Amino acid sequence: IVSSRVYTSLQSLINKGLVTYVINNNIKYYKAEDPAILLKDINEKKKRLENFMSELKSASKEDKKSFSIVYDGFNGFKNSFENQINSCSSHDEIYVLGLNPGSYKDNSLKIFIKNIGLKRCSKKFKLNLILPKKVKDSFGKEMLKESYTKIRYLPNKFFRSSAINIFRDTIMIIVWDEKPKVFMIKDESVAVTFKQYFKYLWDLAK
């Protein structure tokens, strides 16, 4: 250590209880304490942290009550749907509004949607879809083969290249593009609003 820093460093070690000193004939003699004091200090900090942990966990949960995520590309798209299925149980329902039938022609997407459907049916939770009339004899017909599924239809003019999935306290806005993108919003009050909007359209649909 540079000589100008020696006394500053020694004072810091004294404050930590790691060094003591005696004065003899106006000269300070410094002595290192037993290194076990380091473990004692760490254990005391650990104990204080453990006492504070429940409060930290509570704060962490509070932060996660509302958040938003963007899933980009086909892998991101798959992850968002996997998260949706994994977070639901037999007591839950998924509400889906819209579909881009052009995107559904992609074979890899077809297979993925089919597998997600099988996983959903094994967990026994309901799926309610509002779809454009033009897919009634194609995608609609396929989806009706799945258990726990209800479908209603609205005129094609109600739909564009995006769809909305609502489940629990979460909304997924899905852009069915060449490179799909999913905007996931987790917020209970927003989810309630979207469910009310869905139910209003459900009553209008056939």
Side-chain angles (χ1 to χ4, degrees), residues 31 85 104 164 178 182 202:
K31 177 181 179 294
I85 295 298
Y104 187 67
I164 299 170
E178 190 175 331
V182 179
W202 183 262

Side-chain angles (χ1 to χ4, degrees), residues 32-73:
E33 284 293 291
D34 185 342
I37 198 169
L38 287 166
L39 285 175
K40 183 182 176 185
D41 182 53
I42 289 169
N43 288 333
E44 284 177 356
K45 286 178 179 175
K46 184 182 176 184
K47 191 174 180 181
R48 287 200 300 270
L49 181 59
E50 284 172 348
N51 292 336
F52 192 47
M53 192 61 72
S54 60
E55 194 171 335
L56 288 172
K57 284 181 178 177
S58 177
S60 176
K61 286 178 183 175
E62 187 69 29
D63 288 343
K64 292 180 179 177
K65 280 184 178 177
S66 298
F67 63 83
S68 60
I69 304 173
V70 178
Y71 294 91
D72 210 354

Side-chain angles (χ1 to χ4, degrees), residues 1-11:
I1 301 173
V2 189
S3 57
S4 61
R5 293 293 307 275
V6 169
Y7 290 104
T8 305
S9 299
L10 282 168
Q11 188 58 51

Side-chain angles (χ1 to χ4, degrees), residues 83-95:
N83 289 342
Q84 176 184 236
I85 295 298
N86 292 337
S87 66
C88 290
S89 68
S90 59
H91 303 293
D92 296 311
E93 293 188 50
I94 296 178
Y95 306 91

Side-chain angles (χ1 to χ4, degrees), residues 95-96 128 130 166 194-202:
Y95 306 91
V96 178
N128 305 286
I130 300 176
I166 312 151
F194 271 77
K195 284 174 186 175
Q196 289 173 341
Y197 172 56
F198 181 91
K199 286 172 182 176
Y200 173 75
L201 292 175
W202 183 262

Side-chain angles (χ1 to χ4, degrees), residues 28-182:
K28 266 186 181 181
Y29 293 87
Y30 295 90
K31 177 181 179 294
E33 284 293 291
D34 185 342
I37 198 169
L38 287 166
L39 285 175
K40 183 182 176 185
D41 182 53
I42 289 169
N43 288 333
E44 284 177 356
K45 286 178 179 175
K46 184 182 176 184
K47 191 174 180 181
R48 287 200 300 270
L49 181 59
E50 284 172 348
N51 292 336
F52 192 47
M53 192 61 72
S54 60
E55 194 171 335
L56 288 172
K57 284 181 178 177
S58 177
S60 176
K61 286 178 183 175
E62 187 69 29
D63 288 343
K64 292 180 179 177
K65 280 184 178 177
S66 298
F67 63 83
S68 60
I69 304 173
V70 178
Y71 294 91
D72 210 354
F74 189 58
N75 286 334
F77 172 88
K78 290 197 291 186
N79 287 339
S80 69
F81 272 75
E82 289 285 358
N83 289 342
Q84 176 184 236
I85 295 298
N86 292 337
S87 66
C88 290
S89 68
S90 59
H91 303 293
D92 296 311
E93 293 188 50
I94 296 178
Y95 306 91
V96 178
L97 175 62
L99 169 81
N100 183 349
S103 298
Y104 187 67
K105 289 176 183 176
D106 183 279
N107 281 332
S108 57
L109 182 59
K110 255 185 181 177
I111 293 166
F112 174 72
I113 295 291
K114 185 71 176 174
N115 289 336
I116 283 289
L118 291 171
K119 192 171 182 180
R120 176 185 66 83
C121 291
S122 70
K123 294 183 76 173
K124 299 180 179 179
F125 58 86
K126 296 174 184 176
L127 176 66
N128 305 286
L129 300 107
I130 300 176
L131 300 174
K133 283 182 179 178
K134 62 184 175 184
V135 302
K136 186 173 183 178
D137 295 325
S138 53
F139 179 73
K141 199 172 181 179
E142 284 294 313
M143 290 303 298
L144 278 177
K145 293 177 183 177
E146 293 184 4
S147 304
Y148 314 104
T149 302
K150 291 181 180 178
I151 303 176
R152 292 189 181 183
Y153 297 93
L154 284 172
N156 300 328
K157 65 180 180 180
F158 279 93
F159 303 93
R160 290 293 181 269
S161 62
S162 59
I164 299 170
N165 285 23
I166 312 151
F167 61 98
R168 295 175 66 89
D169 58 354
T170 306
I171 305 100
M172 287 165 53
I173 300 170
I174 305 142
V175 180
W176 296 83
D177 219 337
E178 190 175 331
K179 186 182 179 184
K181 189 175 287 187
V182 179

